[in-house]
């Protein structure tokens, strides 16, 4: 049985984030299979990305209710200080300054959906409203083993 990492959510305010990596477009049920493949591919090509801030942390980015085709999908990326000579086949994504409720999940990637359900229940119970039309992030500290990922789920909220 895999241990679930339980904790209290925290609030995090992040400045603009510049990301370089790959965009995934597939059927909703396929993301759980495709994201690990693309994460490993990005890791193999890490040396091609200039100005990486932390080579040990990958970011996932998505908009829950995308308002345009440009926001549809999921991005697997590395954070960079600035954009420079983007490698062939990769894309850039700039996430504006936002506020997040952060919940950490350690365990199988198949259980990330359960972690989101717990996070969303906590947010609702504590009066936080999700911003479904904004960028949401997943900050991966470990992604090589799909049975034992370490990821912080950053759910965008409007906090005054």
């Amino acid at each position: 049985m895999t241990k679930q990492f339980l904790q209290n959510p925290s609030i995090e305010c992040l400045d603009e984030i510049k990301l370089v990596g790959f965009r995934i477009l597939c059927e909703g049920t396929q993301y759980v299979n495709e994201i690990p493949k693309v994460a490993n591919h990005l890791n193999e090509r890490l040396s091609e990305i200039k100005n990486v801030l932390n080579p040990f942390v990958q970011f996932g980015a998505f908009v829950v209710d995308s308002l345009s085709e440009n926001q549809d999908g999921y991005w697997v990326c590395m954070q960079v200080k600035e954009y420079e000579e983007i490698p062939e086949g990769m894309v850039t994504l700039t996430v504006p300054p936002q506020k997040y409720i952060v919940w950490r999940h350690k365990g199988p990637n198949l259980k990330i959906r359960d972690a989101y359900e717990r996070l969303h229940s906590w947010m609702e119970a504590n009066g936080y409203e999700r911003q479904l039309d904004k960028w949401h992030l997943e900050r991966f500290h470990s992604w090589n083993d799909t049975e034992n990922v370490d990821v912080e789920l950053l759910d965008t909220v409007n906090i005054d």
Side-chain angles (χ1 to χ4, degrees):
M1 179 166 176
T2 304
K3 258 191 197 173
Q4 292 297 313
F5 188 76
L6 300 176
Q7 56 160 43
N8 289 323
S10 61
I11 297 172
E12 197 168 323
C13 301
L14 295 180
D15 292 331
E16 179 181 86
I17 297 175
K18 293 179 179 173
L19 301 171
V20 173
F22 297 105
R23 179 182 179 192
I24 304 169
L25 280 169
C26 61
E27 291 296 320
T29 58
Q30 291 304 307
Y31 284 106
V32 73
N33 298 318
E34 294 302 315
I35 291 169
K37 291 180 201 171
V38 175
N40 287 329
H41 183 61
L42 179 63
N43 202 47
E44 291 168 0
R45 294 189 59 194
L46 178 61
S47 64
E48 298 175 42
I49 304 172
K50 297 194 183 305
N51 306 310
V52 172
L53 289 175
N54 185 343
F56 304 107
V57 175
Q58 282 189 359
F59 279 83
F62 62 96
V63 175
V64 176
D65 287 340
S66 56
L67 301 174
S68 70
E69 285 186 26
N70 292 339
Q71 294 179 333
D72 195 22
Y74 186 93
W75 281 253
V76 177
C77 301
M78 301 303 294
Q79 185 179 8
V80 297
K81 183 175 181 172
E82 61 184 273
Y83 298 129
E84 181 183 351
E85 299 176 24
I86 305 308
E88 187 175 336
M90 292 191 196
V91 297
T92 62
L93 175 65
T94 303
V95 178
Q98 296 182 147
K99 295 175 183 166
Y100 304 90
I101 301 292
V102 182
W103 181 278
R104 196 162 193 160
H105 167 77
K106 287 186 177 183
N109 72 333
L110 293 173
K111 297 287 185 181
I112 291 175
R113 186 177 303 269
D114 296 341
Y116 270 116
E117 288 176 14
R118 289 192 305 276
L119 172 60
H120 298 156
S121 294
W122 182 92
M123 290 171 64
E124 186 176 326
N126 288 277
Y128 292 104
E129 185 178 340
R130 298 179 69 213
Q131 302 295 297
L132 302 178
D133 61 340
K134 306 288 185 203
W135 289 101
H136 296 254
L137 300 174
E138 295 178 340
R139 192 165 38 203
F140 284 87
H141 300 278
S142 176
W143 59 86
N144 294 328
D145 178 2
T146 58
E147 290 301 312
N148 191 26
V149 298
D150 179 0
V151 58
E152 291 174 284
L153 311 176
L154 287 79
D155 219 59
T156 308
V157 292
N158 186 16
I159 302 171
D160 294 328

